[in-house]
Amino acid sequence: MQYIGVVGAGQMGSGIAQVCAQYGYKVIIHDMSEEQLKRCVAGIEKNLIRQVEKGKLEENAIRPILGRIGCTRSLKEFQSCDIAIEAVTEKFMAKLETLQHLDDILKPEAIIASNTSSISITRLASNTRRPERFIGLHFMNPVPVMGLVEIIRGLGTSEETFSRARQLVESMDKEVAISADYPGFIVNRILIPMINEAICTLHEGVATAEDIDLAMRLGTNQPMGPLALADLIGLDTVLSIMEVLFDGFKDSKYRPCPLLTQMVAAGRLGRKSGQGFYSYP
C-alpha cells in the first residue's frame, strides 16, 4: 500500500491522516467542507510542531509530512487509492452512503476500511460489492498518541485483506487487538458503558462531575476522568455507541442515561461544542 484515502476531516480523520503521512504514506483527505479541510491541515501542522517541541520529531520533517497530504471535496480523487479509511460520524446511514460511494469509485483491488467504533463490519460490508475486501480499523483517539488499533473482520473479510490491513497498522508502530464482529468490539463495549454509568452517577446526584472524575482518576489510576473523556470523545458519539450496544444486545444495562440523551438534544456535545460536562471557552 502506498496511497491512502481518508474520508472525514474531523478529529479522527485528521489523526489517521497525520499518522499515515508521518510513516511515509501518500494521503488524501476528503470532506464536504472546505473550511473543515483547512482546519484539519492546520491542526495536523500544529500537532507536528508540538512533537518537535517535545523532541519527538525533527523540525525538518514537518514540510515533507505535510507535503504527503492532499485535500479534496470530491471522492472521485480516491480512484488511485490502495485503501480508503472511512472516518465519518458514528451513524449507520451516514457511513453506508459514504461506503457505497467509495465502492463505486475505488479500483477493484482496493480495500475499504471503516473506523467505526461500534457498528457491525459485516452489516456495513454486505452493502458493498466487495465484502471480501472490507475490514474494520478502529483507531483510538487521539490517533497520534494512542498505540492501539482494533482490527475487526467481517464475515466475508478475506485472509489477504486482513493480512494487508494488519501490515499497514503495524507499519505505523501501532499494536493490534483483534476483535470479533460484536457491537462495540472490545474497547467501547467496556469503556462506553463505564462512561454511561458515570453520567448516571451524576444524574442521580451521587457526586459532582469534578468529584466523579477525581475519584476515577485517583481511585483507578485512569489518566482522565470518564466525564472529561466523554467531552473529548463527543457526547453525540457516546450516545450513538450506547444506542448501538442497546440495539445489538437488547440488554437494559446498555440503556443510555437520560441525562446523556438530554445533553445531546441540547447541543451540549463536549469540547467540539464548547460545553459538555465542563465548559471549554
Side-chain angles (χ1 to χ4, degrees):
M1 294 187 188
Q2 298 296 326
Y3 193 18
I4 300 173
V6 178
V7 188
Q11 191 172 31
M12 292 304 299
S14 63
I16 294 168
Q18 176 185 325
V19 170
C20 290
Q22 280 190 249
Y23 281 85
Y25 295 99
K26 183 182 178 184
V27 183
I28 186 166
I29 311 170
H30 171 274
D31 201 280
M32 297 298 291
S33 167
E34 186 68 34
E35 286 303 311
Q36 184 60 43
L37 287 169
K38 291 178 181 178
R39 284 194 294 268
C40 171
V41 174
I44 290 174
E45 184 172 12
K46 184 177 179 180
N47 287 340
L48 294 174
I49 292 171
R50 189 178 298 117
Q51 288 188 24
V52 170
E53 292 170 347
K54 292 180 178 179
K56 297 180 178 180
L57 185 71
E58 295 294 329
E59 187 173 1
N60 60 10
I62 292 179
R63 287 299 120 194
I65 292 170
L66 292 175
R68 287 191 286 271
I69 299 174
C71 296
T72 183
R73 293 175 60 194
S74 172
L75 283 178
K76 291 181 180 179
E77 299 294 326
F78 279 48
Q79 289 177 338
S80 300
C81 290
D82 301 305
I83 182 171
I85 304 174
E86 168 272 311
V88 302
T89 185
E90 192 69 3
K91 295 288 186 181
F92 177 78
M93 291 308 298
K95 289 185 180 295
L96 181 59
E97 182 179 358
T98 299
L99 294 167
Q100 289 179 333
H101 281 316
L102 286 171
D103 194 26
D104 290 337
I105 291 165
L106 291 170
K107 56 190 178 184
E109 65 271 24
I111 292 172
I112 298 178
S114 176
N115 184 57
T116 178
S117 55
S118 62
I119 298 171
S120 168
I121 296 302
T122 300
R123 185 183 177 198
L124 292 171
S126 67
N127 286 279
T128 73
R129 296 186 299 274
R130 60 182 84 203
E132 72 283 359
R133 291 186 298 282
F134 196 106
I135 198 163
L137 294 181
H138 179 210
F139 289 79
M140 303 294 121
N141 184 29
V143 180
V145 176
M146 303 296 282
L148 179 73
V149 176
E150 287 181 314
I151 297 185
I152 308 97
R153 300 174 70 157
L155 194 61
T157 304
S158 71
E159 189 63 40
E160 179 186 0
T161 296
F162 172 76
S163 177
R164 292 178 67 196
R166 181 167 191 161
Q167 288 173 6
L168 173 66
V169 170
E170 291 178 341
S171 75
M172 296 185 284
D173 288 338
K174 301 291 188 186
E175 293 287 340
V176 169
I178 302 169
S179 174
D181 190 17
Y182 282 86
F185 316 130
I186 303 168
V187 173
N188 280 337
R189 181 172 176 175
I190 299 167
L191 174 65
I192 299 300
M194 183 198 75
I195 291 174
N196 190 61
E197 191 63 26
I199 299 170
C200 287
T201 303
L202 177 66
H203 184 53
E204 294 166 10
V206 175
T208 64
E210 291 79 4
D211 280 348
I212 290 168
D213 278 354
L214 178 68
M216 293 303 292
R217 282 194 297 106
L218 301 185
T220 64
N221 204 29
Q222 296 182 28
M224 181 181 290
L227 299 179
L229 179 56
D231 279 353
L232 176 64
I233 294 170
L235 301 193
D236 52 339
T237 300
V238 173
L239 177 59
S240 293
I241 296 171
M242 282 302 299
E243 289 172 340
V244 169
L245 292 170
F246 187 57
D247 182 64
F249 291 113
K250 302 296 191 292
D251 190 326
S252 61
K253 72 180 181 181
Y254 297 114
R255 181 179 67 90
C257 178
L259 177 59
L260 173 60
T261 303
Q262 289 173 346
M263 291 182 71
V264 172
R268 297 184 179 185
L269 308 181
R271 287 179 179 268
K272 59 185 168 185
S273 71
Q275 180 66 49
F277 295 107
Y278 302 95
S279 295
Y280 305 91

